[in-house]
Amino acid sequence: METSIFQIERIEEIEKNILSCSISLNADHPIYQGHFPSDPITPGVVFFQALKQILEINLNKKLLMTEVKKAKFLEITRPKISDSLIFNINFRLNNGAFDVKNKTTFTNHTVLFNCNATFVEMTNR
């Protein structure tokens, strides 16, 4: 049975289109055996996947990321040291797409990841 690299613990709607979400990282996930065995760090793609899943849950829609306008990693995330993260998400609907600004922090409020991205709803064809 495969286990997830992260778990969404809580999503709170602060106000319309503003979310605060806490996730916990699974330090025992097999990906850390290769990234990197002696000093495991969380791959950057995990942040984008968590952001997408948080939005999908909140909006009750399947989404596709179509553009990353900005992405900046400010800190390394070592899950054996800091396994709890907070995503602070601001989004708005703009011509059928969701423009998203995210700031991810450790629980001590140190910023570790900023990004601006665009998501669209996936449609069945």
Side-chain angles (χ1 to χ4, degrees):
M1 176 184 215
E2 186 176 325
T3 58
S4 180
I5 193 167
F6 66 88
Q7 172 148 353
I8 297 171
E9 301 293 340
R10 174 190 56 82
I11 300 175
E12 181 181 353
E13 189 169 34
I14 305 300
E15 59 184 72
K16 183 175 171 47
N17 299 341
I18 298 176
L19 307 174
S20 176
C21 177
S22 60
I23 72 165
S24 58
L25 298 171
N26 177 2
D28 296 322
H29 190 276
I31 199 165
Y32 292 115
Q33 294 170 7
H35 201 270
F36 297 94
S38 61
D39 186 18
I41 63 172
T42 303
V45 70
V46 171
F47 294 90
F48 291 106
Q49 183 64 32
L51 178 60
K52 177 180 174 272
Q53 285 183 19
I54 293 163
L55 289 166
E56 286 178 334
I57 291 167
N58 181 262
L59 297 168
N60 196 29
K61 299 178 184 300
K62 293 297 282 177
L63 299 174
L64 174 69
M65 183 186 294
T66 58
E67 182 179 13
V68 176
K69 297 174 183 137
K70 172 184 135 182
K72 188 165 188 174
F73 292 90
L74 303 165
E75 297 284 336
I76 293 174
T77 305
R78 292 179 170 87
K80 294 201 184 272
I81 297 171
S82 298
D83 67 347
S84 295
L85 307 176
I86 308 295
F87 283 69
N88 300 288
I89 303 166
N90 188 325
F91 63 94
R92 67 183 178 96
L93 188 59
N94 181 17
N95 294 322
F98 294 96
D99 288 332
V100 177
K101 292 182 180 182
N102 173 68
K103 177 172 71 173
T104 303
T105 65
F106 294 113
T107 55
N108 70 2
H109 306 290
T110 301
V111 178
L112 64 112
F113 174 63
N114 286 319
C115 82
N116 296 352
T118 302
F119 293 84
V120 296
E121 184 175 3
M122 292 181 61
T123 57
N124 295 332
R125 293 184 187 219

